Amino acid sequence: MNYIDSYLSEVWNKTNISEKRLEENFWDVCRVLEGAGFLISDDAAVSAVSVGPFKIASTLDVQRKDLLVFFLETIVPAIFSKASGVPFEQVYSLYLLPAANLFISLTSGCYWIKDMLQWDVLMYIREKNRRGIYPTLDEIKKADEFTGLEEWQMEEAVRNLGDFENLLGDRHELITMDSDGRFQCMV
C-alpha cells in the first residue's frame, strides 16, 4: 500500500467495474486523513487546485498505523462492496467521507484504561457527577469502594486520570478539578 489514493481507487475499481475512478477522485478523503495526521501528501502540484499522491505518514507510530490500516483494509472495502451499483458520487459523499470523519472522531475520543483502579475511580466520579455530586480527593479516598487501598495509590490513580492519552496518543484530561478541589468526569 504505497499510495493511499491509488489503493482506494484500486479497491473501488475492483468492486465497481462499470464505473472506474482515478486516484484524484479520492483526494478529499485523503485530505481528511491527512488533516488528522494519518497521511502526508506529495508537495508537487498535480493541478492548480489539488496536491497528491497521499502516503501513510512516516512519523506515524505503530498503534496509529494499525488503526489506519484496519480502516483502509477492512472498513473501506466493506463500504465499497455494500455500495456496488450505487453511483460513485453518492458512495463517496454519503458513505466514504462520513466514514473517514467517524474514524477520526472515534480514534480521537477513545481511551484504553489498563489500570483497573483508574477505571474504578473514573466510574466512581462519573456516577457521582450524574447525581450532581462532585467529590474531592478526600471523599474519593474515604469511599467504601476503595477501602483497603493506600492513599498514594488513590492519589496516583486520580493524578493519572488528569493527564491521559487517547488511542491517537494525544493528551487529554479524563477528569478535571475545580478551584474547590472537586472532580468532574469529562467522558
Side-chain angles (χ1 to χ4, degrees):
M1 189 180 322
N2 286 338
Y3 296 104
I4 302 307
D5 49 353
S6 298
Y7 170 77
L8 293 172
S9 173
E10 180 183 319
V11 172
W12 171 264
N13 292 336
K14 280 183 187 176
T15 56
N16 296 279
I17 297 168
S18 64
E19 193 179 358
K20 301 259 184 199
R21 293 295 166 168
L22 299 171
E23 291 84 0
E24 292 85 5
N25 296 119
F26 296 92
W27 284 358
D28 288 336
V29 76
C30 287
R31 282 194 191 93
V32 168
L33 295 171
E34 180 190 30
F38 283 100
L39 304 181
I40 56 169
S41 66
D42 189 359
D43 291 331
V46 175
S47 73
V49 226
S50 301
V51 175
F54 292 83
K55 299 181 272 187
I56 294 178
S58 58
T59 58
L60 207 56
D61 65 27
V62 174
Q63 188 172 354
R64 286 179 73 147
K65 190 175 279 187
D66 288 344
L67 291 169
L68 176 64
V69 169
F70 171 78
F71 174 75
L72 293 172
E73 292 183 349
T74 306
I75 305 300
V76 170
I79 290 171
F80 289 168
S81 69
K82 292 292 182 187
S84 183
V86 177
F88 173 78
E89 289 77 15
Q90 289 180 2
V91 173
Y92 195 75
S93 62
L94 297 176
Y95 300 106
L96 187 58
L97 277 172
N101 284 312
L102 181 62
F103 164 71
I104 291 165
S105 177
L106 287 174
T107 53
S108 66
C110 288
Y111 303 88
W112 188 358
I113 301 175
K114 299 176 187 175
D115 183 325
M116 196 61 192
L117 179 57
Q118 288 177 356
W119 175 257
D120 289 340
V121 169
L122 182 64
M123 291 300 102
Y124 174 82
I125 294 170
R126 183 174 160 191
E127 185 56 36
K128 290 291 186 184
N129 289 173
R130 284 185 177 168
R131 291 190 255 149
I133 302 167
Y134 297 89
T136 64
L137 181 56
D138 287 336
E139 292 169 346
I140 295 170
K141 289 178 191 177
K142 293 175 185 173
D144 292 339
E145 292 89 340
F146 305 116
T147 56
L149 292 170
E150 298 289 329
E151 282 193 28
W152 67 268
Q153 291 173 303
M154 296 300 299
E155 291 168 359
E156 184 177 323
V158 169
R159 182 177 54 253
N160 289 338
L161 288 171
D163 184 27
F164 210 84
E165 285 186 3
N166 65 5
L167 287 182
L168 297 179
D170 300 329
R171 310 277 297 155
H172 293 279
E173 294 177 325
L174 296 183
I175 59 172
T176 59
M177 184 174 66
D178 67 12
S179 59
D180 292 334
R182 301 201 168 275
F183 288 99
Q184 179 178 358
C185 180
M186 303 306 290
V187 290

mmCIF file of all heavy atoms in Angstrom, residues 115 117-119 121-122 137 151-164 175:
data_model
loop_
_atom_site.group_PDB
_atom_site.id
_atom_site.type_symbol
_atom_site.label_atom_id
_atom_site.label_comp_id
_atom_site.label_asym_id
_atom_site.label_seq_id
_atom_site.Cartn_x
_atom_site.Cartn_y
_atom_site.Cartn_z
ATOM 1 N N ASP A 115 -5.326 0.266 33.792
ATOM 2 C CA ASP A 115 -5.264 0.156 35.249
ATOM 3 C C ASP A 115 -6.690 0.098 35.805
ATOM 4 O O ASP A 115 -7.471 1.032 35.649
ATOM 5 C CB ASP A 115 -4.520 1.374 35.803
ATOM 6 C CG ASP A 115 -4.330 1.319 37.312
ATOM 7 O OD1 ASP A 115 -5.224 0.809 38.019
ATOM 8 O OD2 ASP A 115 -3.291 1.817 37.776
ATOM 9 N N LEU A 117 -7.817 0.257 38.835
ATOM 10 C CA LEU A 117 -8.106 1.278 39.845
ATOM 11 C C LEU A 117 -8.471 2.600 39.169
ATOM 12 O O LEU A 117 -9.410 3.277 39.598
ATOM 13 C CB LEU A 117 -6.929 1.463 40.800
ATOM 14 C CG LEU A 117 -7.113 2.523 41.885
ATOM 15 C CD1 LEU A 117 -8.354 2.231 42.743
ATOM 16 C CD2 LEU A 117 -5.859 2.615 42.756
ATOM 17 N N GLN A 118 -7.746 2.975 38.118
ATOM 18 C CA GLN A 118 -8.080 4.200 37.393
ATOM 19 C C GLN A 118 -9.499 4.109 36.832
ATOM 20 O O GLN A 118 -10.265 5.065 36.905
ATOM 21 C CB GLN A 118 -7.090 4.439 36.251
ATOM 22 C CG GLN A 118 -5.726 4.862 36.699
ATOM 23 C CD GLN A 118 -4.777 5.016 35.535
ATOM 24 O OE1 GLN A 118 -5.099 4.734 34.383
ATOM 25 N NE2 GLN A 118 -3.557 5.455 35.840
ATOM 26 N N TRP A 119 -9.847 2.953 36.289
ATOM 27 C CA TRP A 119 -11.190 2.757 35.743
ATOM 28 C C TRP A 119 -12.240 2.903 36.848
ATOM 29 O O TRP A 119 -13.250 3.585 36.669
ATOM 30 C CB TRP A 119 -11.292 1.391 35.082
ATOM 31 C CG TRP A 119 -12.673 1.081 34.598
ATOM 32 C CD1 TRP A 119 -13.587 0.251 35.198
ATOM 33 C CD2 TRP A 119 -13.321 1.617 33.453
ATOM 34 N NE1 TRP A 119 -14.753 0.234 34.473
ATOM 35 C CE2 TRP A 119 -14.620 1.067 33.401
ATOM 36 C CE3 TRP A 119 -12.933 2.507 32.455
ATOM 37 C CZ2 TRP A 119 -15.524 1.375 32.393
ATOM 38 C CZ3 TRP A 119 -13.836 2.814 31.454
ATOM 39 C CH2 TRP A 119 -15.119 2.254 31.430
ATOM 40 N N VAL A 121 -12.015 4.498 39.696
ATOM 41 C CA VAL A 121 -12.075 5.890 40.150
ATOM 42 C C VAL A 121 -12.845 6.740 39.129
ATOM 43 O O VAL A 121 -13.702 7.545 39.507
ATOM 44 C CB VAL A 121 -10.660 6.473 40.399
ATOM 45 C CG1 VAL A 121 -10.702 7.974 40.596
ATOM 46 C CG2 VAL A 121 -10.007 5.788 41.594
ATOM 47 N N LEU A 122 -12.551 6.537 37.852
ATOM 48 C CA LEU A 122 -13.249 7.290 36.811
ATOM 49 C C LEU A 122 -14.757 7.017 36.859
ATOM 50 O O LEU A 122 -15.565 7.944 36.809
ATOM 51 C CB LEU A 122 -12.697 6.931 35.429
ATOM 52 C CG LEU A 122 -13.306 7.670 34.241
ATOM 53 C CD1 LEU A 122 -13.008 9.162 34.319
ATOM 54 C CD2 LEU A 122 -12.785 7.093 32.934
ATOM 55 N N LEU A 137 -10.814 14.741 46.509
ATOM 56 C CA LEU A 137 -9.896 13.609 46.628
ATOM 57 C C LEU A 137 -10.100 12.899 47.963
ATOM 58 O O LEU A 137 -10.108 11.665 48.020
ATOM 59 C CB LEU A 137 -8.447 14.074 46.469
ATOM 60 C CG LEU A 137 -7.371 12.979 46.541
ATOM 61 C CD1 LEU A 137 -7.622 11.886 45.515
ATOM 62 C CD2 LEU A 137 -5.991 13.584 46.362
ATOM 63 N N GLU A 151 -3.308 5.453 50.394
ATOM 64 C CA GLU A 151 -3.592 6.816 49.919
ATOM 65 C C GLU A 151 -2.802 7.148 48.663
ATOM 66 O O GLU A 151 -3.331 7.766 47.746
ATOM 67 C CB GLU A 151 -3.288 7.848 51.016
ATOM 68 C CG GLU A 151 -4.360 7.922 52.059
ATOM 69 C CD GLU A 151 -4.201 9.148 52.945
ATOM 70 O OE1 GLU A 151 -3.641 10.172 52.480
ATOM 71 O OE2 GLU A 151 -4.652 9.087 54.092
ATOM 72 N N TRP A 152 -1.548 6.726 48.607
ATOM 73 C CA TRP A 152 -0.711 7.032 47.450
ATOM 74 C C TRP A 152 -1.266 6.378 46.179
ATOM 75 O O TRP A 152 -1.137 6.932 45.087
ATOM 76 C CB TRP A 152 0.747 6.630 47.682
ATOM 77 C CG TRP A 152 0.975 5.143 47.786
ATOM 78 C CD1 TRP A 152 0.984 4.383 48.913
ATOM 79 C CD2 TRP A 152 1.217 4.252 46.697
ATOM 80 N NE1 TRP A 152 1.212 3.060 48.607
ATOM 81 C CE2 TRP A 152 1.359 2.957 47.243
ATOM 82 C CE3 TRP A 152 1.334 4.405 45.321
ATOM 83 C CZ2 TRP A 152 1.612 1.825 46.469
ATOM 84 C CZ3 TRP A 152 1.581 3.276 44.542
ATOM 85 C CH2 TRP A 152 1.722 2.008 45.120
ATOM 86 N N GLN A 153 -1.881 5.194 46.312
ATOM 87 C CA GLN A 153 -2.473 4.532 45.154
ATOM 88 C C GLN A 153 -3.636 5.361 44.590
ATOM 89 O O GLN A 153 -3.770 5.528 43.375
ATOM 90 C CB GLN A 153 -2.978 3.137 45.518
ATOM 91 C CG GLN A 153 -1.875 2.138 45.831
ATOM 92 C CD GLN A 153 -2.449 0.827 46.339
ATOM 93 O OE1 GLN A 153 -3.176 0.791 47.329
ATOM 94 N NE2 GLN A 153 -2.110 -0.252 45.642
ATOM 95 N N MET A 154 -4.453 5.854 45.493
ATOM 96 C CA MET A 154 -5.594 6.670 45.087
ATOM 97 C C MET A 154 -5.125 7.988 44.449
ATOM 98 O O MET A 154 -5.643 8.409 43.428
ATOM 99 C CB MET A 154 -6.509 6.963 46.280
ATOM 100 C CG MET A 154 -7.158 5.730 46.869
ATOM 101 S SD MET A 154 -8.174 4.855 45.685
ATOM 102 C CE MET A 154 -9.380 6.089 45.297
ATOM 103 N N GLU A 155 -4.142 8.621 45.084
ATOM 104 C CA GLU A 155 -3.620 9.885 44.563
ATOM 105 C C GLU A 155 -3.014 9.703 43.173
ATOM 106 O O GLU A 155 -3.217 10.533 42.282
ATOM 107 C CB GLU A 155 -2.586 10.462 45.531
ATOM 108 C CG GLU A 155 -3.205 10.947 46.826
ATOM 109 C CD GLU A 155 -2.198 11.249 47.912
ATOM 110 O OE1 GLU A 155 -0.973 11.064 47.689
ATOM 111 O OE2 GLU A 155 -2.626 11.669 49.007
ATOM 112 N N GLU A 156 -2.291 8.602 42.985
ATOM 113 C CA GLU A 156 -1.677 8.319 41.685
ATOM 114 C C GLU A 156 -2.744 8.048 40.617
ATOM 115 O O GLU A 156 -2.644 8.545 39.489
ATOM 116 C CB GLU A 156 -0.731 7.116 41.795
ATOM 117 C CG GLU A 156 0.013 6.828 40.514
ATOM 118 C CD GLU A 156 0.996 5.677 40.678
ATOM 119 O OE1 GLU A 156 1.618 5.553 41.748
ATOM 120 O OE2 GLU A 156 1.131 4.905 39.718
ATOM 121 N N ALA A 157 -3.772 7.292 40.975
ATOM 122 C CA ALA A 157 -4.845 6.997 40.018
ATOM 123 C C ALA A 157 -5.542 8.279 39.580
ATOM 124 O O ALA A 157 -5.781 8.495 38.390
ATOM 125 C CB ALA A 157 -5.846 6.019 40.622
ATOM 126 N N VAL A 158 -5.845 9.146 40.539
ATOM 127 C CA VAL A 158 -6.512 10.412 40.227
ATOM 128 C C VAL A 158 -5.592 11.309 39.398
ATOM 129 O O VAL A 158 -6.023 11.908 38.411
ATOM 130 C CB VAL A 158 -6.975 11.124 41.519
ATOM 131 C CG1 VAL A 158 -7.419 12.543 41.238
ATOM 132 C CG2 VAL A 158 -8.088 10.330 42.194
ATOM 133 N N ARG A 159 -4.326 11.390 39.756
ATOM 134 C CA ARG A 159 -3.367 12.223 39.028
ATOM 135 C C ARG A 159 -3.244 11.746 37.576
ATOM 136 O O ARG A 159 -3.255 12.552 36.643
ATOM 137 C CB ARG A 159 -2.007 12.201 39.715
ATOM 138 C CG ARG A 159 -0.968 13.090 39.042
ATOM 139 C CD ARG A 159 0.371 13.130 39.758
ATOM 140 N NE ARG A 159 0.945 11.809 39.987
ATOM 141 C CZ ARG A 159 1.009 11.208 41.187
ATOM 142 N NH1 ARG A 159 0.541 11.811 42.260
ATOM 143 N NH2 ARG A 159 1.540 10.015 41.316
ATOM 144 N N ASN A 160 -3.173 10.421 37.368
ATOM 145 C CA ASN A 160 -3.022 9.887 36.017
ATOM 146 C C ASN A 160 -4.265 10.119 35.153
ATOM 147 O O ASN A 160 -4.155 10.255 33.938
ATOM 148 C CB ASN A 160 -2.683 8.398 36.059
ATOM 149 C CG ASN A 160 -1.271 8.163 36.557
ATOM 150 O OD1 ASN A 160 -0.416 9.037 36.489
ATOM 151 N ND2 ASN A 160 -1.023 6.989 37.090
ATOM 152 N N LEU A 161 -5.433 10.160 35.776
ATOM 153 C CA LEU A 161 -6.653 10.437 35.011
ATOM 154 C C LEU A 161 -6.710 11.891 34.550
ATOM 155 O O LEU A 161 -7.420 12.217 33.602
ATOM 156 C CB LEU A 161 -7.892 10.105 35.841
ATOM 157 C CG LEU A 161 -8.154 8.620 36.050
ATOM 158 C CD1 LEU A 161 -9.281 8.419 37.064
ATOM 159 C CD2 LEU A 161 -8.471 7.929 34.742
ATOM 160 N N GLY A 162 -5.957 12.743 35.192
ATOM 161 C CA GLY A 162 -5.903 14.147 34.800
ATOM 162 C C GLY A 162 -4.997 14.396 33.613
ATOM 163 O O GLY A 162 -5.017 15.472 33.030
ATOM 164 N N ASP A 163 -4.201 13.401 33.240
ATOM 165 C CA ASP A 163 -3.279 13.522 32.108
ATOM 166 C C ASP A 163 -3.229 12.168 31.421
ATOM 167 O O ASP A 163 -2.389 11.338 31.722
ATOM 168 C CB ASP A 163 -1.894 13.937 32.603
ATOM 169 C CG ASP A 163 -0.915 14.176 31.472
ATOM 170 O OD1 ASP A 163 -1.352 14.529 30.360
ATOM 171 O OD2 ASP A 163 0.300 13.999 31.696
ATOM 172 N N PHE A 164 -4.154 11.947 30.491
ATOM 173 C CA PHE A 164 -4.322 10.633 29.896
ATOM 174 C C PHE A 164 -4.212 10.718 28.380
ATOM 175 O O PHE A 164 -4.572 11.722 27.781
ATOM 176 C CB PHE A 164 -5.706 10.077 30.279
ATOM 177 C CG PHE A 164 -5.751 8.596 30.359
ATOM 178 C CD1 PHE A 164 -5.353 7.930 31.500
ATOM 179 C CD2 PHE A 164 -6.192 7.850 29.271
ATOM 180 C CE1 PHE A 164 -5.399 6.555 31.578
ATOM 181 C CE2 PHE A 164 -6.246 6.469 29.341
ATOM 182 C CZ PHE A 164 -5.849 5.825 30.493
ATOM 183 N N ILE A 175 -10.602 13.633 33.831
ATOM 184 C CA ILE A 175 -11.260 14.304 34.954
ATOM 185 C C ILE A 175 -10.607 15.669 35.122
ATOM 186 O O ILE A 175 -9.447 15.853 34.781
ATOM 187 C CB ILE A 175 -11.165 13.490 36.275
ATOM 188 C CG1 ILE A 175 -9.703 13.249 36.652
ATOM 189 C CG2 ILE A 175 -11.942 12.196 36.181
ATOM 190 C CD1 ILE A 175 -9.521 12.628 38.035
#
